[in-house]
Amino acid sequence: MKQFLRIVTTALLLFSAGGAIYGGLKLVMFPDGSTLHLPPALLQHSMFPDYFIPGLFLLIFVGFLGLWTLITVLCGSKLYCLFVMLQGAVLFSWIIIQMLIIQTTSFFHYLLGSIGLVLVLNGYILNQLEASHE
């Protein structure tokens, strides 16, 4: 069970962090959103004039933190379960805030929000399994 959860967690972190690094870099380098086919009108209800700041947040908090979390899982750090829960909460929060700001939803919002919740749950279960083996 523990090994299965670690594999699932690794795959979810790789998917979410990889996508966030890709998307975040694209938005930072091309803040008009054109390379990701994001119309500027999505930001009309936000405080952002372009996608630079959201892209930077995506890159750092979902991308790089997700990559760091993936490394802690692969290395078996004592705190990896907590990092997984934190990353899941960050990803879920990012999606909720994004939906509130752009005032629309897509399949990817539901997919990534669900991945965030699964990461929180997996981190919690893995933490319980680790504690029961001590």
Side-chain angles (χ1 to χ4, degrees), residues 9-42:
T9 299
T10 298
L12 294 176
L13 287 169
L14 189 58
F15 176 77
S16 61
I21 290 170
Y22 174 80
L25 282 173
K26 288 280 196 172
L27 293 174
V28 167
M29 293 189 307
F30 305 99
D32 64 352
S34 61
T35 58
L36 295 177
H37 307 289
L38 295 173
L42 281 178

Side-chain angles (χ1 to χ4, degrees), residues 102-130:
I102 66 172
Q103 297 184 1
T104 189
T105 61
S106 75
F107 166 76
F108 289 105
H109 290 115
Y110 296 109
L111 174 66
L112 291 167
S114 298
I115 288 173
L117 292 176
V118 169
L119 287 172
V120 171
L121 183 61
N122 280 6
Y124 177 79
I125 294 169
L126 284 165
N127 191 47
Q128 297 303 309
L129 291 172
E130 293 284 346

Side-chain angles (χ1 to χ4, degrees), residues 1-11 72-77 80 122 126 130:
M1 172 78 158
K2 182 175 151 185
Q3 189 64 23
F4 172 75
L5 287 176
R6 283 183 66 154
I7 291 169
V8 169
T9 299
T10 298
T72 66
V73 171
L74 295 174
C75 293
S77 165
Y80 84 92
N122 280 6
L126 284 165
E130 293 284 346

Side-chain angles (χ1 to χ4, degrees), residues 62-83:
V62 181
F64 291 152
L65 182 61
L67 184 60
W68 172 256
T69 301
L70 176 61
I71 291 168
T72 66
V73 171
L74 295 174
C75 293
S77 165
K78 287 187 175 224
L79 297 176
Y80 84 92
C81 301
L82 299 177
F83 278 113

